[in-house]
Each structure stands twice: as structure tokens, then as C-alpha cells.
Amino acid sequence: MPGNTILLVDDEAANLQVLKNILETEYRLLFARDGEKALALALAEQPDLILLDVMMPGISGHQTCARLKAQDKTAHIPVIFVTALAQEDDETKGFELGAVDYLTKPVRPAIVRARVKTHLSLVRADELKQTRLSIVQRLGRAAEYKDNETGRHVIRTSLFSLIIGRQLGLDEHHLDDLLNAAPMHDIGKIGIPDAVLLKPGKLDPDEWEIMQRHAQIGAEIIGEDGSSLLKMARDIALCHHEKWDGSGYPQGLAGEAIPLEARIVAIADVFDALTSERPYKKAWTIDDACQLIREQSGKHFDPQLVEHFFNALPEILEARQKWLDDAHDNQNINH
């Protein structure tokens, strides 16, 4: 039974028939003879892919593509131009308008099938990434319901980590993963008894031993996965309490044996925890928190990352001010 839906747009019935013959056994097909009909169908049916002629009466294929990309509900639909225009300038204009590919007439069946399959695979990969990201974000929020720390702590820690990572020179893909993995750093607290997690006073040695288990529990919750995002989230959950000098937990890792992202989150997490009020403590001043981080350079924290933290401190303080507790509850974060 046909799976993905493809919208075919061409003012010539013979051209639509050619594409129909090539694709009808594998896909659900929609047909439009002009740009206006194509726009209406795209909005109503949300096809997975559009094959679009350029030279049509009324609005051209180029104009149709531009209008598709200008609407939030259709901007995500990939467009492949199918046209007799074969000059390099024509192709360049098509890509500038947001098309993902360009096929020239007369089309060859094997090429059409291959290009369609490739771009639908990219759509599925993007959907999988978005689903995985949504799961990560929801798990991060689940930990908030167990913990006495606010959701803004998770947001601030993520933003501080992003800012430090950018100061370090990480690429945009790496930064995007870091922003979305950092909220998972304390996911293991889901597995810590409330009597320990929510205790207002200092933990006794037995309770502290239980609390330390949250790092290993977090790694077990996230599990082993092939995606860079979930692998990073696992490393952060497991290792963000390791210390540069090897005195941390749960594995006693030292130096660069600690994953870079966990070393970044460690600084961000401690800075925000120190400068935030909790049931068991008052908030530290910015100066006092910065003094401790400087003193712990080479002990608790990676000394190079400490320098990046201080170089980025004005931007970190700006993000902190924006996301203070009791504000911005319903906003989304991005970079």
C-alpha cells in the first residue's frame, strides 16, 4: 500500500501522467495543474514531498515555492523542481528559493525514483531526530517534578553550558546537542527517594551515598544509543560530578578522561546552584560564586574551561538575569 504522500504540480497533463506512472506504485499521489491549486493542496494535505514545474500559467513554480516557504505550515515540505529549464542560473534560483533538488525534463524514471527516495529518507531522519529531541526534553522535565530545584535551573544550566561551549569554539551542531543534552544532567534524581532528595538539612553519610547514585541511575535511564545527542546526554548525566583532580564520583575520573561536555556542565551547574536559593541554603553572591570557581580551577574544574567561563561571564550573567526564578515560565530556549 502506498506510504508517503507526494504532490505533483505541472500544467501539462501528459507530464503529470509520466510522473504518475513512475511513482504511483510506491506513493500516494496528489495532482495540481497550477500554483494556486498546489498551494491549497499543500496546506490541506501536508504532503511529504512536492515535485514542482517551473513554467506554468498564473503564478510560476518559482513563485509557488516562495509562497510555500513563506508559510509556517508548508515551509518544512521539501520541493524538487521538475523543469525543462536547464541553465545553471535557473538551478541557482531554484535552490535560493529553498528547493532541495532539481530534475530536468524529459525525466528518467530511475533518477526520479532515486531522488524522491533520498529526500523522503532525509525527511524521516529529521522526524526521528525531532522525536528523539522531544523525548530528551520530556525526560528533563520529568526530573524537575521530583527535584526541589526549579525548571529555570535546568534552562540556565543549559544556556550557561552553551555559552561556555561557544566561547571554547565548538561548532553549531555540537552546540545544539550540548544545549539539548545539558537538561538531562540530573535525570537520575528520578530514582532517588524523596526523603533524601527533598531533605531540607544536610545529608548524613548514608543519605549522601544514596544521593550520589543519581549519576549512575541517570546513565542507566538514558541508556546506550547511537545518536550523538543521547550519547552526550548519557556522558553528562554520568560524569557531571566527576572532578578534574579525580576526587569526584561515581568513577573517580580525572582530567581529560572526563567527557568535555560533562566538564562544561559541571561549571554551569555549580555556578547556578551556588547563586540560587534552595530550601537548605541562601543564594551566594555572584562574586562569592566566582571566587569559589576560580579557587577550584585545576581541582574541581578544568582550568581551561574556567578561563572560558570568566571570558564569557558577561553573557552568562545576562542569560541568568533573563531566566531568574519566577520569570519566563512558558518560553522556549534556543540559540
Coordinates of all heavy atoms in Angstrom, one line a residue, residues 209-296:
E209 N 25.5 8.9 50.2 CA 25.8 7.7 49.4 C 24.6 7.4 48.4 O 24.8 7.1 47.2 CB 26.2 6.5 50.2 CG 26.6 5.3 49.4 CD 27.0 4.1 50.2 OE1 27.2 4.3 51.4 OE2 27.1 3.0 49.7
I210 N 23.4 7.5 49.0 CA 22.2 7.3 48.1 C 22.1 8.4 47.1 O 21.9 8.1 45.9 CB 21.0 7.2 49.0 CG1 21.0 6.0 49.9 CG2 19.7 7.3 48.2 CD1 19.9 6.0 51.0
M211 N 22.3 9.6 47.5 CA 22.2 10.8 46.6 C 23.2 10.6 45.4 O 22.9 10.9 44.3 CB 22.5 12.1 47.3 CG 22.4 13.3 46.4 SD 20.8 13.6 45.6 CE 20.0 14.5 47.0
Q212 N 24.4 10.2 45.7 CA 25.4 10.0 44.7 C 25.0 9.0 43.6 O 25.6 9.1 42.4 CB 26.8 9.6 45.3 CG 27.4 10.7 46.1 CD 28.8 10.3 46.7 OE1 28.9 9.1 47.1 NE2 29.7 11.2 46.7
R213 N 24.1 8.2 43.9 CA 23.7 7.2 42.9 C 23.0 7.8 41.7 O 22.8 7.1 40.7 CB 22.8 6.1 43.5 CG 23.5 5.2 44.6 CD 22.5 4.3 45.2 NE 23.1 3.6 46.4 CZ 22.4 3.0 47.3 NH1 21.0 2.9 47.2 NH2 22.9 2.4 48.4
H214 N 22.6 9.0 41.8 CA 21.8 9.6 40.8 C 22.5 9.7 39.5 O 22.0 9.7 38.4 CB 21.2 11.0 41.2 CG 22.1 12.1 41.0 ND1 23.0 12.5 42.0 CD2 22.4 13.0 40.0 CE1 23.7 13.6 41.6 NE2 23.3 13.9 40.4
A215 N 23.9 9.8 39.5 CA 24.7 9.9 38.3 C 24.6 8.6 37.5 O 24.3 8.6 36.3 CB 26.1 10.2 38.7
Q216 N 24.8 7.5 38.2 CA 24.7 6.2 37.6 C 23.3 5.9 37.1 O 23.0 5.3 36.0 CB 25.2 5.1 38.5 CG 25.3 3.7 37.9 CD 26.3 3.6 36.7 OE1 27.4 4.0 36.9 NE2 25.8 3.1 35.6
I217 N 22.3 6.2 37.9 CA 20.9 6.0 37.6 C 20.6 6.8 36.3 O 19.9 6.3 35.4 CB 19.9 6.4 38.7 CG1 20.1 5.5 39.9 CG2 18.5 6.4 38.3 CD1 19.4 5.9 41.2
G218 N 21.0 8.0 36.2 CA 20.8 8.8 35.0 C 21.3 8.2 33.8 O 20.7 8.1 32.7
A219 N 22.5 7.7 33.9 CA 23.2 7.0 32.7 C 22.3 5.8 32.3 O 22.2 5.5 31.1 CB 24.6 6.6 33.0
E220 N 21.8 5.0 33.3 CA 21.0 3.8 33.0 C 19.7 4.2 32.4 O 19.2 3.5 31.5 CB 20.8 3.0 34.3 CG 22.1 2.4 34.8 CD 22.0 1.8 36.2 OE1 20.9 1.9 36.8 OE2 23.0 1.3 36.7
I221 N 19.1 5.3 32.8 CA 17.8 5.8 32.2 C 18.0 6.1 30.8 O 17.2 5.7 29.9 CB 17.2 7.0 33.0 CG1 16.7 6.5 34.4 CG2 16.1 7.6 32.2 CD1 16.3 7.7 35.3
I222 N 19.0 6.9 30.5 CA 19.3 7.3 29.1 C 19.7 6.1 28.2 O 19.3 5.9 27.1 CB 20.3 8.4 29.0 CG1 19.8 9.6 29.8 CG2 20.7 8.8 27.6 CD1 20.8 10.7 30.1
G223 N 20.6 5.2 28.8 CA 21.0 4.0 28.1 C 22.0 4.3 27.0 O 22.4 5.4 26.8
E224 N 22.3 3.2 26.3 CA 23.2 3.3 25.2 C 22.4 3.5 23.9 O 21.4 2.9 23.6 CB 24.0 1.9 25.0 CG 24.8 1.5 26.3 CD 26.1 2.3 26.4 OE1 26.4 3.1 25.5 OE2 26.7 2.2 27.5
D225 N 22.8 4.5 23.1 CA 22.1 4.9 21.9 C 23.1 5.4 20.9 O 24.2 6.0 21.2 CB 21.1 5.9 22.2 CG 20.2 6.2 21.0 OD1 20.5 7.0 20.1 OD2 19.1 5.5 20.9
G226 N 22.8 5.2 19.6 CA 23.8 5.6 18.6 C 23.8 7.1 18.3 O 24.7 7.6 17.6
S227 N 22.8 7.8 18.7 CA 22.7 9.2 18.4 C 23.7 10.0 19.2 O 23.9 9.8 20.3 CB 21.3 9.8 18.6 OG 21.1 10.1 19.9
S228 N 24.2 11.1 18.5 CA 25.2 11.9 19.2 C 24.6 12.6 20.4 O 25.2 12.8 21.5 CB 25.8 12.9 18.3 OG 24.8 13.8 17.7
L229 N 23.3 13.0 20.3 CA 22.6 13.7 21.3 C 22.4 12.9 22.6 O 22.8 13.3 23.7 CB 21.2 14.2 20.8 CG 20.3 14.8 21.9 CD1 20.9 16.0 22.5 CD2 19.0 15.2 21.3
L230 N 21.9 11.7 22.4 CA 21.7 10.8 23.6 C 23.0 10.3 24.2 O 23.1 10.1 25.4 CB 20.8 9.6 23.2 CG 19.3 10.0 23.1 CD1 18.5 8.8 22.7 CD2 18.8 10.7 24.3
K231 N 24.0 10.1 23.3 CA 25.3 9.7 23.9 C 25.9 10.8 24.8 O 26.4 10.6 25.9 CB 26.3 9.4 22.8 CG 27.7 8.9 23.3 CD 28.6 8.6 22.1 CE 30.0 8.1 22.7 NZ 30.6 9.0 23.6
M232 N 25.8 12.0 24.3 CA 26.2 13.2 25.0 C 25.4 13.3 26.3 O 26.0 13.6 27.4 CB 26.1 14.5 24.2 CG 26.7 15.7 24.9 SD 26.5 17.2 24.0 CE 27.4 16.9 22.5
A233 N 24.1 13.2 26.2 CA 23.3 13.3 27.4 C 23.7 12.2 28.5 O 23.7 12.5 29.7 CB 21.8 13.1 27.1
R234 N 24.0 11.0 28.0 CA 24.4 10.0 29.0 C 25.8 10.3 29.6 O 25.9 10.2 30.8 CB 24.6 8.6 28.2 CG 24.9 7.5 29.2 CD 25.1 6.2 28.4 NE 25.3 5.0 29.3 CZ 26.4 4.7 29.9 NH1 27.5 5.5 29.7 NH2 26.5 3.7 30.8
D235 N 26.7 10.8 28.8 CA 28.0 11.2 29.4 C 27.8 12.3 30.4 O 28.5 12.3 31.5 CB 28.9 11.7 28.2 CG 29.5 10.6 27.4 OD1 29.4 9.4 27.8 OD2 30.0 10.9 26.3
I236 N 27.0 13.3 30.1 CA 26.8 14.4 31.1 C 26.1 13.9 32.4 O 26.5 14.2 33.5 CB 25.9 15.5 30.4 CG1 26.7 16.2 29.3 CG2 25.4 16.5 31.4 CD1 25.9 17.1 28.5
A237 N 25.1 13.1 32.2 CA 24.4 12.6 33.4 C 25.3 11.7 34.3 O 25.3 11.9 35.5 CB 23.2 11.7 33.0
L238 N 26.2 10.9 33.7 CA 27.1 10.1 34.4 C 28.3 10.8 35.0 O 28.7 10.5 36.1 CB 27.6 9.0 33.5 CG 28.5 7.9 34.1 CD1 27.8 7.1 35.2 CD2 29.1 7.0 33.0
C239 N 28.7 11.8 34.3 CA 30.1 12.4 34.7 C 30.1 13.8 35.2 O 31.2 14.4 35.4 CB 31.0 12.2 33.5 SG 31.3 10.5 32.9
H240 N 28.9 14.5 35.3 CA 29.0 15.9 35.6 C 29.4 16.2 37.1 O 29.6 17.3 37.5 CB 27.7 16.6 35.3 CG 26.5 16.2 36.2 ND1 25.9 15.0 36.2 CD2 25.9 16.9 37.2 CE1 24.9 15.0 37.1 NE2 24.9 16.1 37.7
H241 N 29.5 15.1 37.9 CA 30.0 15.2 39.3 C 31.5 14.7 39.4 O 32.0 14.7 40.5 CB 29.1 14.6 40.3 CG 27.9 15.3 40.6 ND1 27.8 16.6 41.1 CD2 26.6 15.0 40.3 CE1 26.6 17.0 41.2 NE2 25.8 16.1 40.7
E242 N 32.1 14.3 38.3 CA 33.5 14.0 38.3 C 34.3 15.3 38.5 O 33.8 16.4 38.1 CB 33.9 13.3 37.0 CG 33.2 12.0 36.8 CD 33.6 10.8 37.7 OE1 34.5 11.0 38.5 OE2 33.0 9.7 37.5
K243 N 35.5 15.2 39.0 CA 36.3 16.4 39.3 C 37.7 16.3 38.6 O 38.2 15.2 38.4 CB 36.5 16.6 40.8 CG 35.2 16.9 41.5 CD 35.5 17.2 43.0 CE 34.2 17.6 43.7 NZ 34.4 17.9 45.1
W244 N 38.2 17.4 38.1 CA 39.4 17.4 37.4 C 40.5 16.7 38.1 O 41.4 16.0 37.4 CB 39.8 18.9 37.1 CG 41.0 19.1 36.3 CD1 42.2 19.4 36.6 CD2 41.0 18.9 34.8 NE1 43.1 19.5 35.6 CE2 42.4 19.2 34.4 CE3 40.1 18.6 33.8 CZ2 42.8 19.2 33.1 CZ3 40.5 18.6 32.5 CH2 41.8 18.9 32.2
D245 N 40.6 16.8 39.4 CA 41.7 16.1 40.2 C 41.4 14.7 40.5 O 42.2 14.0 41.3 CB 42.0 16.9 41.5 CG 40.8 17.0 42.5 OD1 39.8 16.3 42.2 OD2 41.0 17.7 43.5
G246 N 40.3 14.1 40.1 CA 39.9 12.7 40.3 C 39.2 12.4 41.6 O 39.0 11.3 41.9
S247 N 38.8 13.4 42.3 CA 38.1 13.2 43.6 C 36.6 13.2 43.5 O 35.9 13.1 44.5 CB 38.5 14.3 44.6 OG 38.1 15.6 44.2
G248 N 36.1 13.2 42.3 CA 34.6 13.2 42.1 C 34.0 11.8 42.1 O 34.7 10.8 42.4
Y249 N 32.7 11.8 41.7 CA 32.0 10.5 41.6 C 31.2 10.4 40.3 O 31.0 11.5 39.7 CB 31.1 10.3 42.9 CG 30.0 11.3 43.0 CD1 28.7 11.0 42.3 CD2 30.1 12.4 43.7 CE1 27.6 11.9 42.5 CE2 29.0 13.3 43.9 CZ 27.8 13.0 43.2 OH 26.7 13.9 43.3
P250 N 30.8 9.3 39.9 CA 30.9 8.0 40.5 C 32.1 7.1 40.2 O 32.3 6.1 40.8 CB 29.6 7.3 40.0 CG 29.5 7.8 38.6 CD 29.9 9.2 38.7
Q251 N 32.9 7.6 39.2 CA 34.0 6.7 38.7 C 35.4 7.2 39.2 O 36.4 6.5 38.9 CB 34.0 6.6 37.2 CG 32.7 5.9 36.7 CD 32.6 6.0 35.2 OE1 32.4 7.1 34.6 NE2 32.8 4.8 34.5
G252 N 35.5 8.4 39.7 CA 36.8 8.9 40.1 C 37.6 9.3 38.9 O 38.9 9.2 38.9
L253 N 37.0 9.7 37.8 CA 37.7 10.1 36.6 C 38.5 11.4 36.9 O 38.1 12.2 37.7 CB 36.8 10.3 35.4 CG 36.0 9.1 35.0 CD1 35.1 9.4 33.8 CD2 36.9 7.9 34.6
A254 N 39.6 11.6 36.1 CA 40.4 12.8 36.3 C 40.7 13.4 34.9 O 40.8 12.7 33.9 CB 41.6 12.5 37.1
G255 N 40.9 14.7 34.9 CA 41.4 15.4 33.7 C 40.6 15.2 32.5 O 39.3 15.1 32.6
E256 N 41.2 15.0 31.4 CA 40.5 14.8 30.1 C 39.9 13.5 29.9 O 39.2 13.2 28.9 CB 41.5 15.1 28.9 CG 41.9 16.6 28.9 CD 42.8 16.9 27.7 OE1 43.0 16.0 26.9 OE2 43.1 18.1 27.6
A257 N 40.0 12.6 30.9 CA 39.2 11.3 30.9 C 37.8 11.6 31.1 O 36.9 10.8 30.8 CB 39.8 10.4 32.0
I258 N 37.5 12.8 31.7 CA 36.1 13.2 31.9 C 35.6 13.8 30.6 O 36.3 14.6 30.0 CB 36.0 14.3 33.0 CG1 36.6 13.8 34.3 CG2 34.5 14.7 33.2 CD1 36.8 14.9 35.4
P259 N 34.5 13.3 30.1 CA 34.0 13.9 28.8 C 33.9 15.4 28.8 O 33.5 16.0 29.9 CB 32.6 13.3 28.6 CG 32.7 12.0 29.4 CD 33.6 12.3 30.6
L260 N 34.3 16.1 27.8 CA 34.3 17.5 27.7 C 33.0 18.1 28.1 O 32.9 19.1 28.9 CB 34.7 17.9 26.3 CG 34.6 19.5 26.0 CD1 35.6 20.2 26.8 CD2 34.8 19.7 24.5
E261 N 31.9 17.6 27.6 CA 30.6 18.2 27.8 C 30.2 18.1 29.3 O 29.6 19.0 29.8 CB 29.5 17.5 27.0 CG 29.7 17.6 25.5 CD 30.7 16.6 24.9 OE1 31.1 15.7 25.6 OE2 31.1 16.8 23.8
A262 N 30.6 17.0 30.0 CA 30.4 16.9 31.4 C 31.2 17.9 32.2 O 30.7 18.5 33.2 CB 30.7 15.5 31.9
R263 N 32.4 18.2 31.7 CA 33.3 19.2 32.4 C 32.6 20.6 32.2 O 32.7 21.5 33.1 CB 34.7 19.2 31.8 CG 35.5 18.1 32.2 CD 36.9 18.1 31.6 NE 37.0 17.4 30.3 CZ 37.7 17.7 29.3 NH1 38.4 18.8 29.3 NH2 37.7 16.9 28.2
I264 N 32.0 20.9 31.1 CA 31.4 22.2 30.8 C 30.2 22.3 31.7 O 30.0 23.3 32.4 CB 31.0 22.3 29.3 CG1 32.2 22.4 28.4 CG2 30.0 23.5 29.1 CD1 31.9 22.4 27.0
V265 N 29.3 21.3 31.7 CA 28.1 21.3 32.5 C 28.4 21.4 34.0 O 27.7 22.1 34.8 CB 27.2 20.1 32.2 CG1 26.0 20.0 33.2 CG2 26.7 20.2 30.8
A266 N 29.5 20.8 34.5 CA 29.9 20.9 35.9 C 30.0 22.3 36.3 O 29.5 22.7 37.4 CB 31.2 20.1 36.1
I267 N 30.7 23.1 35.5 CA 30.9 24.6 35.9 C 29.5 25.3 35.9 O 29.2 26.0 36.8 CB 31.9 25.2 35.0 CG1 33.3 24.6 35.1 CG2 32.0 26.7 35.3 CD1 34.3 25.1 34.1
A268 N 28.8 25.1 34.8 CA 27.5 25.8 34.7 C 26.6 25.4 35.8 O 25.9 26.2 36.4 CB 26.9 25.4 33.3
D269 N 26.5 24.1 36.2 CA 25.6 23.6 37.2 C 26.0 24.2 38.6 O 25.1 24.6 39.3 CB 25.7 22.1 37.2 CG 24.8 21.4 38.2 OD1 23.7 22.0 38.4 OD2 25.1 20.3 38.7
V270 N 27.3 24.1 38.9 CA 27.7 24.6 40.2 C 27.5 26.1 40.3 O 27.0 26.6 41.3 CB 29.2 24.3 40.4 CG1 29.7 25.0 41.6 CG2 29.4 22.8 40.6
F271 N 27.8 26.9 39.3 CA 27.6 28.3 39.3 C 26.1 28.7 39.6 O 25.8 29.5 40.4 CB 28.1 29.0 38.0 CG 27.9 30.5 38.0 CD1 28.6 31.3 38.8 CD2 26.9 31.0 37.2 CE1 28.4 32.7 38.8 CE2 26.7 32.4 37.2 CZ 27.5 33.2 38.0
D272 N 25.2 28.0 38.8 CA 23.8 28.3 39.0 C 23.3 27.8 40.4 O 22.5 28.5 41.1 CB 23.0 27.7 37.9 CG 21.5 28.2 38.0 OD1 21.3 29.4 37.7 OD2 20.6 27.5 38.4
A273 N 23.8 26.7 40.8 CA 23.3 26.1 42.1 C 23.8 27.1 43.3 O 23.0 27.4 44.2 CB 23.9 24.7 42.4
L274 N 25.0 27.6 43.2 CA 25.5 28.4 44.2 C 24.8 29.8 44.3 O 24.5 30.3 45.4 CB 27.0 28.7 44.0 CG 28.0 27.6 44.2 CD1 29.4 28.1 43.8 CD2 28.0 27.1 45.6
T275 N 24.4 30.3 43.1 CA 23.8 31.6 43.1 C 22.3 31.6 43.2 O 21.6 32.6 43.0 CB 24.2 32.4 41.8 OG1 23.9 31.6 40.7 CG2 25.7 32.7 41.8
S276 N 21.7 30.4 43.4 CA 20.3 30.2 43.5 C 19.9 29.8 45.0 O 20.6 29.1 45.6 CB 19.8 29.1 42.6 OG 20.1 29.5 41.3
E277 N 18.8 30.4 45.4 CA 18.3 30.0 46.8 C 17.7 28.6 46.7 O 17.0 28.3 45.8 CB 17.3 31.0 47.2 CG 16.8 30.8 48.7 CD 15.9 31.9 49.2 OE1 15.9 33.0 48.6 OE2 15.3 31.7 50.3
R278 N 17.9 27.8 47.7 CA 17.3 26.5 47.9 C 16.8 26.3 49.3 O 17.1 27.1 50.2 CB 18.4 25.4 47.6 CG 19.0 25.4 46.2 CD 18.0 24.8 45.2 NE 18.5 24.9 43.9 CZ 18.2 25.8 43.0 NH1 17.4 26.7 43.3 NH2 18.7 25.7 41.8
P279 N 15.9 25.4 49.5 CA 15.3 25.2 50.8 C 16.4 25.0 51.9 O 16.1 25.3 53.1 CB 14.5 23.9 50.7 CG 14.1 23.9 49.2 CD 15.3 24.4 48.5
Y280 N 17.5 24.5 51.5 CA 18.6 24.2 52.5 C 19.7 25.3 52.5 O 20.7 25.1 53.3 CB 19.2 22.8 52.2 CG 19.6 22.6 50.8 CD1 20.9 23.0 50.4 CD2 18.8 22.0 49.9 CE1 21.3 22.9 49.1 CE2 19.2 21.9 48.5 CZ 20.4 22.3 48.2 OH 20.8 22.1 46.8
K281 N 19.6 26.3 51.7 CA 20.6 27.4 51.7 C 20.2 28.7 51.1 O 19.2 28.7 50.3 CB 21.9 26.8 50.9 CG 21.7 26.9 49.4 CD 23.0 26.6 48.8 CE 22.9 26.9 47.3 NZ 22.7 28.3 47.0
K282 N 20.9 29.7 51.4 CA 20.6 31.0 50.8 C 21.5 31.1 49.5 O 22.5 30.4 49.4 CB 21.0 32.2 51.8 CG 20.0 32.3 53.0 CD 20.4 33.5 53.8 CE 19.4 33.6 55.0 NZ 18.0 33.8 54.5
A283 N 21.1 32.0 48.6 CA 21.9 32.2 47.4 C 23.2 32.9 47.7 O 23.2 33.8 48.6 CB 21.1 33.0 46.4
W284 N 24.3 32.4 47.1 CA 25.5 33.1 47.2 C 25.5 34.4 46.3 O 24.8 34.4 45.3 CB 26.7 32.2 46.7 CG 27.0 31.1 47.6 CD1 26.2 30.4 48.5 CD2 28.3 30.5 47.8 NE1 26.8 29.4 49.1 CE2 28.2 29.4 48.7 CE3 29.5 30.7 47.2 CZ2 29.2 28.6 49.1 CZ3 30.6 29.9 47.6 CH2 30.4 28.8 48.5
T285 N 26.4 35.3 46.6 CA 26.6 36.4 45.7 C 27.3 36.0 44.4 O 28.0 34.9 44.5 CB 27.4 37.6 46.3 OG1 28.7 37.1 46.6 CG2 26.7 38.0 47.6
I286 N 27.2 36.7 43.4 CA 28.0 36.4 42.1 C 29.5 36.4 42.4 O 30.2 35.5 42.0 CB 27.6 37.4 41.0 CG1 26.2 37.4 40.7 CG2 28.5 37.1 39.8 CD1 25.7 36.1 40.1
D287 N 29.9 37.4 43.2 CA 31.4 37.5 43.5 C 31.9 36.2 44.3 O 32.9 35.7 44.0 CB 31.7 38.7 44.3 CG 31.6 40.0 43.4 OD1 31.6 39.8 42.2 OD2 31.5 41.1 44.0
D288 N 31.1 35.8 45.2 CA 31.5 34.7 46.0 C 31.5 33.4 45.2 O 32.4 32.6 45.3 CB 30.6 34.5 47.2 CG 30.8 35.5 48.3 OD1 31.9 36.2 48.3 OD2 29.9 35.7 49.2
A289 N 30.5 33.2 44.4 CA 30.5 32.0 43.5 C 31.6 32.0 42.5 O 32.3 31.0 42.3 CB 29.1 32.0 42.7
C290 N 31.9 33.2 42.0 CA 33.1 33.3 41.0 C 34.4 33.0 41.7 O 35.3 32.4 41.2 CB 33.1 34.7 40.4 SG 31.8 34.9 39.2
Q291 N 34.5 33.5 43.0 CA 35.7 33.2 43.7 C 35.9 31.7 44.0 O 37.0 31.2 43.8 CB 35.7 33.9 45.1 CG 37.0 33.7 45.9 CD 36.9 34.5 47.2 OE1 36.1 35.4 47.4 NE2 37.8 34.1 48.2
L292 N 34.8 31.0 44.3 CA 35.0 29.6 44.5 C 35.4 28.9 43.2 O 36.2 28.0 43.2 CB 33.6 29.0 45.0 CG 33.7 27.5 45.3 CD1 33.0 27.1 46.6 CD2 33.1 26.7 44.2
I293 N 34.7 29.2 42.1 CA 35.1 28.6 40.8 C 36.5 28.8 40.5 O 37.3 27.9 40.0 CB 34.1 29.1 39.7 CG1 32.7 28.5 39.9 CG2 34.7 28.7 38.3 CD1 31.7 29.0 39.0
R294 N 37.0 30.1 40.7 CA 38.4 30.4 40.5 C 39.3 29.5 41.4 O 40.3 28.9 41.0 CB 38.7 31.8 40.7 CG 40.1 32.3 40.5 CD 40.5 32.3 39.0 NE 40.0 33.4 38.3 CZ 40.1 33.6 37.0 NH1 40.7 32.7 36.3 NH2 39.6 34.7 36.4
E295 N 38.9 29.4 42.7 CA 39.7 28.6 43.6 C 39.7 27.1 43.3 O 40.7 26.4 43.5 CB 39.2 28.7 45.0 CG 39.4 30.1 45.7 CD 38.6 30.3 47.0 OE1 37.8 29.3 47.3 OE2 38.8 31.3 47.6
Q296 N 38.7 26.6 42.6 CA 38.6 25.2 42.3 C 39.1 24.9 40.9 O 39.0 23.8 40.4 CB 37.1 24.8 42.4 CG 36.6 24.7 43.8 CD 37.3 23.7 44.6 OE1 37.5 22.5 44.2 NE2 37.7 24.0 45.8

